[in-house]
Amino acid sequence: METPTDRFRKVKNLIDQDALLLSIGDVATATGVSTRQIRYWEKKGYINSTLSESGQRKFTYFELLTVGMIQSRIEAGYTLSGAVKEVQETSGVFKELRKFLQERMDQVNEISTGYEFDLGEVEGVDENKHLFLSLEKGHKRSFKVKKCK
Amino acid sequence: METPTDRFRKVKNLIDQDALLLSIGDVATATGVSTRQIRYWEKKGYINSTLSESGQRKFTYFELLTVGMIQSRIEAGYTLSGAVKEVQETSGVFKELRKFLQERMDQVNEISTGYEFDLGEVEGVDENKHLFLSLEKGHKRSFKVKKCK
DNA sequence: CATCTTTGTCAAATAAGTTGACAAACATTT
DNA sequence: AAATGTTTGTCAACTTATTTGACAAAGATG
């Protein structure tokens, strides 16, 4: 039988693999940056894209976030190159965060009251206890620390 | 001055707002489902899309996941309608999960060794303690439970 | 066997994406 | 001040993507 963990992992794969490649117009609409700007920023090496078989630019979700972060600094008064520098120094956190959550969110159990994700070890509590993310019916959501069997 | 929390929230906004609307071809490539199938599934009411000003279908990321989940069940031997039924019964968890993480991931502090996200209260530990997600330099990543000042 | 479901493919039209060039606004240097 | 560099808009000509509607075919269902 297919368990909730199996189903979850399939969706996780879809998210993990950077299978999603975005068209330039969709990046532009989502970030409020023009396609002309995106192409220029890429030419300058500030952002990256791959080319599809037919020669169209495709962007990962992380590149979309980079575009959005640069734009946000420009709106705050930075020059383009200044904005890029700031973003390059700080954007790594988002990759780290994503990687960590991908690693830890891997095990989910269906229980009578809903779903429970086992997020593994936590510093600062008994060693035989794990952190759980609990999604209960009725939109009751919480983190829990308890023994794992 | 702009704090790490300020910067984080701007990126979070970009992610939260469903600003990202995907073209049908990008959904097709990411999921391995043909554009013909996607249009048919939409006609049957199994998935949803909005229309851009110029009349092109646009899909949210959740709809992409829905397409991927349906496809995954079809590959497991289900009929289309059977796959859809299963997905409709289970996909809510992902929306719940996203919503919960969006709510809890809102506060981040820069500390000497890296970054620390305050995820708030945890059941099963002292009431004056919070759960933290810690991203340290050198890729040391962990959950921590400790007092919050 | 007849029917419904599901998907592929084709055609004609519109929209989106590509590169290259010219221009304009603005900042930086000499 | 004049010259140069940065950044973005816009236009043109061309290629690729998307849209709808129709026909066809394979498979499931009754």
Side-chain angles (χ1 to χ4, degrees), chain B residues 61-72:
Chain B
Y61 192 67
F62 180 75
E63 292 299 324
L64 180 148
L65 290 183
T66 303
V67 170
M69 288 187 278
I70 293 172
Q71 174 67 0
S72 153

Side-chain angles (χ1 to χ4, degrees), chain B residues 15-34:
Chain B
I15 298 172
D16 285 4
Q17 309 299 341
D18 274 328
L20 176 56
L21 291 174
L22 305 159
S23 301
I24 192 169
D26 296 334
V27 175
T29 305
T31 58
V33 175
S34 74

Side-chain angles (χ1 to χ4, degrees), chain B residues 34 36-37 40-41 44 46 54 56 80-81:
Chain B
S34 74
R36 181 66 173 88
Q37 285 176 294
Y40 179 70
W41 295 2
K44 297 284 289 182
Y46 299 154
S54 60
Q56 307 216 342
L80 175 58
S81 59

